[in-house]
Amino acid sequence: MEQYKQEFIEFMVDCEVLKFGDFTLKSGRKSPFFMNAGAYVTGAQLEKLGEYYAKAIHDHYGTDFDVLFGPAYKGIPLSVATTIAFSKLYGKEIRYCSNRKEVKDHGDTGILLGSKLKDGDKVVIIEDVTTSGKSIQETFPILKEQADVEIIGLMVSLNRMERGLETEKSALCEIQEKYGFPANAIVSMDDVVEHLYNRPCKGKIVIDDAMKASIDKYYEQYGAK
């Protein structure tokens, strides 16, 4: 596993973005782990987060794209931080764009924040985590309504590796098959378990034998095929 991925896993735990315990998800599932990207709250955290995303996007999609689109609301700071990091790390100026939940009818009108979209723009979508793929169902039409853009791919921070909305496959696999563009994550839960199992992280073991058993049991029930 690449060094930046190992660092990112520990970074999520250190920022209390990725937690282990007993959680009830929006879907109603009982999960032994939970991720909340809203816990990135400081300038230093957002700077580092943008760099991890930029490295993963560069690894998967290179530099041949124009716009980074972050769906409201959590995608807004992600897109801003990552465009800054991409410029810093790779010397490539890309534009950030996000959507509003409500269309603005005065001043800077429309449904978009940041850059406007133009015909021919190559777009990478950035999100925190995709459990079911529902957010892309909302995002995809917005992008296509604004301009004739080419969607290069999706990048999320964590692949939860759970079944998607419509099949036994993961949400990221469903997105790729349904919309025709690749969907990737900085790390997967397999990566997380591999790196943290019975290994100290900031002086504490967060995935011990008992937690590993809980995670395994969860995936027996909800894991993607």
Side-chain angles (χ1 to χ4, degrees):
M1 191 191 314
E2 293 90 332
Q3 182 66 32
Y4 81 86
K5 293 185 178 181
Q6 298 178 40
E7 293 175 359
F8 179 62
I9 292 167
E10 296 185 15
F11 174 67
M12 286 193 290
V13 174
D14 190 41
C15 294
E16 298 187 344
V17 166
L18 179 60
K19 296 182 178 182
F20 298 89
D22 296 305
F23 305 95
T24 301
L25 305 181
K26 186 186 297 184
S27 63
R29 295 175 181 175
K30 303 290 186 180
S31 174
F33 58 92
F34 180 71
M35 183 194 164
N36 174 26
Y40 296 118
V41 292
T42 72
Q45 289 172 344
L46 288 170
E47 181 180 24
K48 289 184 69 175
L49 179 62
E51 291 175 358
Y52 290 127
Y53 265 107
K55 289 175 181 178
I57 289 171
H58 184 266
D59 280 356
H60 287 280
Y61 306 126
T63 61
D64 186 21
F65 66 99
D66 308 294
V67 179
L68 195 59
F69 182 87
Y73 289 103
K74 289 180 181 176
I76 296 174
L78 294 180
S79 61
V80 172
T82 306
T83 53
I84 294 170
F86 215 87
S87 175
K88 174 183 173 183
L89 292 175
Y90 305 110
K92 173 69 183 290
E93 291 291 357
I94 54 176
R95 291 139 45 209
Y96 99 89
C97 179
S98 296
N99 64 296
R100 295 182 171 96
K101 289 291 188 179
E102 300 83 22
V103 177
K104 189 178 179 184
D105 60 3
H106 61 281
D108 182 19
T109 59
I111 197 170
L112 300 181
L113 293 168
S115 173
K116 302 298 183 185
L117 295 174
K118 302 179 295 186
D119 289 348
D121 274 342
K122 296 179 179 179
V123 178
V124 172
I125 303 170
I126 183 171
E127 290 199 90
D128 56 345
V129 64
T130 296
T131 301
S132 66
K134 182 178 179 181
S135 58
I136 294 299
Q137 290 183 348
E138 301 170 355
T139 299
F140 187 79
I142 292 172
L143 288 169
K144 287 299 187 178
E145 286 169 3
Q146 301 306 307
D148 183 17
V149 301
E150 177 186 356
I151 300 177
I152 300 299
L154 166 70
M155 181 61 65
V156 302
S157 59
L158 177 67
N159 180 2
R160 288 186 58 103
M161 302 172 58
E162 297 177 34
R163 296 194 298 268
L165 282 177
E166 300 171 359
T167 71
E168 296 292 300
K169 299 178 181 179
S170 73
L172 294 185
C173 286
E174 276 191 4
I175 288 167
Q176 184 163 331
E177 290 185 358
K178 184 172 183 177
Y179 297 102
F181 55 81
N184 293 286
I186 303 175
V187 294
S188 69
M189 276 304 298
D190 272 350
D191 296 328
V192 171
V193 173
E194 175 189 335
H195 185 65
L196 295 180
Y197 179 44
N198 280 338
R199 181 179 299 173
C201 178
K202 307 300 180 182
K204 179 182 179 182
I205 294 178
V206 293
I207 300 182
D208 56 13
D209 289 342
M211 180 53 63
K212 173 68 160 53
S214 294
I215 293 171
D216 289 345
K217 183 177 179 181
Y218 183 76
Y219 280 110
E220 287 176 7
Q221 185 172 5
Y222 297 116
K225 303 299 184 183

